[in-house]
Structures are given as C-alpha cells and as structure tokens.
Amino acid sequence: MSGYDVRLVEVGPRDGLQNEATAVPTAVKIELIQRLVAAGHRTVEATSFVSPKWVPQMADAAEVYRGLARQHGIAYPVLVPNLQGYERARAVGVTEIAMFAAASEAFSQRNINASIEESLQRFQPVLERARADGVRVRGYVSTVLGCPYQGEVPLADVVRVAQRLYELGCYEISLGDTIGVGTAGRARAMLRAVAAEIPMDALAVHFHDTYGQALANTLACVELGVRVVDASVAGLGGCPYAAGASGNVASEDVVYLLHGLGLRTGIDLAALVDTGRWISERLQRSNGSKVGRAFKGPA
Ligand code: HMG
Ligand code: MG
C-alpha cells in the first residue's frame, strides 16, 4: 500500500518563487522545502536551472539543491530547459528533472525563445543523457486551456505535444493551464482528449487560479480519474512570461478537497497550513489559500 490515493506535486518553491518581485533568501527557500516534506509532501519541485538572465529568482538553484537533505522516498524534481541546465543540475546531484514545452507557438517563443518543434528537438539530447544517467524526467505542456498571446489553443495541439513528450520518455505529463482561464467543462474535455492517447496514470494536472476556477477544474479532473495534482502552498506563484497569471491552486485547498472526498494524500493538513502561513509572512504577501486563512484545526 502506498498510503495515499492522490499524489500532490508541490510546485510552490519553483512555480511560486520564480515569480516573486523581491529576492527570497536561499535559506528561506530551503526551509520552505523542508517544511513541505515534514508536512508529508513526497514530491517537491525544488527549483529551476533555467537561464538566470531570464529568471533571476532561480539563480541560486545549485545552492538551494545542495542545501536539501536527501531522504528515501522524497523526490525533488527541478526544471531544466536545455543541456546547459541539465549539466548544472547534474553537477549538484539532481536525480529528477522536469522539461517544459507549450501547446501554443506564441507562448513557446516568449517563454523559451524557441518554436515548439525547436524545443522538442532541444529536449532530445537531454532526455538521452537523462536515460543514460538514470535520471527521471517529467514533462510539462503549458497553455493547455489558453494562451496569453495566441488566445485559443486547439486541443489537437495539446494532445500532439503531450504525446511527443511521452514518446520522448517523460514518465509523467503535467497538463498546465498556465494562465488559469480554463473552466471545469473545458478541463474535462482536454483531459479526456489527452487520456485517449496517454494512460491516465501517466498524467497530472497543473491549474493556475487566475479566474478562480482552479479547484473546480481539479475536482473535474480527479472525477475523471487523474491521480496526480500539482499545487502550490499558499497559492504562491504565477509565470514570469504570462502577465497577470495568478498562482497555482493552493495545496491546502486541494488537500482539504481530497480529504473531504475520502481520498488520502499522506499530507498533514495542519502542518501544511502552518507552512503556508509561515511563507506568506516571510514574503509579506497575503495567503492565497482560503483553507490556509480559515483553518482552525481539526475539531
Ligand atoms: P536563449 O536566450 O534563447 O538561450 O534562452 P541562449 O542559449 O542564447 O542563452 C542565453 C544566455 O543564457 C547565455 O549566456 C547562456 O549561457 C545562458 P550569455 O552567453 O549571454 O552569458 N543560459 C543558461 N544559463 C544557465 N542555465 C541555463 C542556461 N541556458 C542558457 N540552463 C532559454 C533560452 C531556454 C535558456 C531561456 O529562454 C530560459 O531560460 N527560459 C526559461 C523561462 C522560464 O523559466 N519560464 C518559467 C517556467 S515555465 C512555467 O512556469 C510553466 C509551468 O509552470 C507549467 C504551466 O503553468 O503551464 C512549468
Ligand atoms: Mg505553472
């Protein structure tokens, strides 16, 4: 028995902190990750080995990763856009990476300065190296329910990019509503279309909450059978190349939802709420989790 029904992938330290306007000390990032693991998270996306010219918030990726205590059963995937990022990650002992492509051509250009096809070509040597090194690779497809530059994104494009990443060897594909414009009906249709080509147990959902739909979208997809949900403590986050995008669905809200459905997550909600309050205070931002604001502990 795994001890849980749904696995959360905590993306706050990466998707959240990549977007903070003021510099977050490396020690705070490390403490955040440690607290998330202590609360029961087993997968915490720790940081991002992208170009510091593009995302200065993640310039301390190596220091953050070096500061983490390796523990059996805990995965710390990191974002890697190219071979240079892979080399940097491997130099500090990374054993799991996440590569990211977009379903929208316009977003791909703005986010990684490459067309979708160029980005997939760029991933190939990284995936080959990863396979040889025994490094696990997660894949992201961004803009699955809309693009800030192109608007509508055809479902066929989402399916095609997800399939390519899966065929290239990603063990799991996370479907990202980067700008949080999706609704439950569209999220369901998107997941159904992708799941017709890729096994459901190799899929994850990644909702941002810009329009306040992220929790509803999560529920719709869990009802369809997805069992991996990306979320961010205190709803931290956004995307530096998607102006106006809010943070991810809050981890506390997802845990509260899932526990209410009788689905086990292995996460201690009280400890997670404490962590969300602590990081919100450290960053002097309001807590983006409704559960985090309201929670008074189990009766
Ligand atoms: P580029 O400018 O086309 O690349 O950027 P380049 O190869 O010409 O490199 C430019 C400079 O960056 C060079 O330095 C390189 O050495 C350096 P210079 O010669 O000028 O001194 N460089 C690097 N340095 C460190 N690590 C590296 C690296 N690569 C190049 N890995 C590139 C192309 C892909 C690098 C750039 O566009 C980039 O880093 N983009 C990342 C953008 C990003 O991080 N976006 C947010 C993450 S995606 C997201 O949030 C969505 C997600 O959450 C899912 C969802 O919500 O949908 C995942
Ligand atoms: Mg994201």
Side-chain angles (χ1 to χ4, degrees):
M1 280 294 286
S2 61
Y4 61 89
D5 302 305
V6 176
R7 181 166 62 91
L8 264 79
V9 174
E10 171 61 54
V11 296
R14 192 281 303 172
D15 210 345
L17 300 187
Q18 76 181 6
N19 214 40
E20 282 301 308
T22 53
V24 180
T26 305
V28 171
K29 296 179 178 179
I30 293 169
E31 184 171 349
L32 173 62
I33 296 165
Q34 284 166 340
R35 283 174 181 254
L36 291 164
V37 170
H41 272 297
R42 287 164 306 279
T43 310
V44 181
E45 196 171 72
T47 183
S48 181
F49 289 82
V50 295
S51 170
K53 296 202 167 116
W54 284 64
V55 186
Q57 291 91 333
M58 296 283 114
D60 61 353
E63 291 74 26
V64 169
Y65 197 85
R66 262 198 232 106
L68 301 177
R70 305 292 173 279
Q71 284 180 54
H72 181 70
I74 308 295
Y76 298 116
V78 301
L79 239 58
V80 161
N82 53 17
L83 263 179
Q84 197 176 338
Y86 183 78
E87 304 280 5
R88 287 175 60 215
R90 284 296 286 161
V92 290
V94 163
T95 55
E96 178 166 342
I97 63 170
M99 305 211 68
F100 49 107
S104 141
E105 204 58 73
F107 186 78
S108 187
Q109 285 294 349
R110 302 281 183 112
N111 194 38
I112 52 175
N113 200 23
S115 70
I116 298 170
E117 192 50 45
E118 282 164 353
S119 74
L120 294 168
Q121 300 286 341
R122 191 185 280 172
F123 294 167
Q124 205 150 332
V126 180
L127 278 142
E128 277 163 21
R129 286 280 302 279
R131 194 173 305 124
D133 295 341
V135 167
R136 273 158 65 85
V137 185
R138 193 169 197 249
Y140 277 107
V141 184
S142 291
T143 59
V144 298
L145 295 173
C147 168
Y149 312 110
Q150 164 184 319
E152 213 162 294
V153 178
L155 268 189
D157 293 349
V158 177
V159 174
R160 182 175 53 84
V161 175
Q163 262 181 309
R164 287 283 299 278
L165 286 174
Y166 192 59
E167 284 160 12
L168 280 170
C170 295
Y171 75 91
E172 184 171 281
I173 309 296
S174 178
L175 301 163
D177 181 11
T178 319
I179 51 169
V181 291
T183 56
R186 293 183 48 234
R188 204 180 278 127
M190 183 277 299
L191 181 61
R192 263 205 198 101
V194 179
E197 306 298 335
I198 299 174
M200 189 68 94
D201 63 9
L203 297 177
V205 290
H206 178 109
F207 292 116
H208 285 261
D209 200 34
T210 317
Y211 278 70
Q213 304 299 302
L215 201 59
N217 295 345
T218 302
L219 175 60
C221 292
V222 167
E223 283 176 346
L224 266 191
V226 87
R227 287 295 176 265
V228 184
V229 176
D230 297 1
S232 170
V233 67
L236 297 176
C239 175
Y241 296 96
S246 326
N248 300 79
V249 67
S251 309
E252 300 90 317
D253 299 4
V254 172
V255 168
Y256 189 78
L257 169 79
L258 294 172
H259 289 183
L261 290 168
L263 293 169
R264 296 165 307 160
T265 63
I267 292 172
D268 174 350
L269 181 59
L272 185 61
V273 164
D274 271 354
T275 303
R277 289 176 181 168
W278 170 80
I279 192 65
S280 300
E281 209 176 291
R282 289 306 305 252
L283 301 180
Q284 297 183 305
R285 76 198 296 283
S286 63
N287 191 333
S289 164
K290 285 206 161 182
V291 170
R293 292 201 297 270
F295 189 77
K296 300 222 165 23

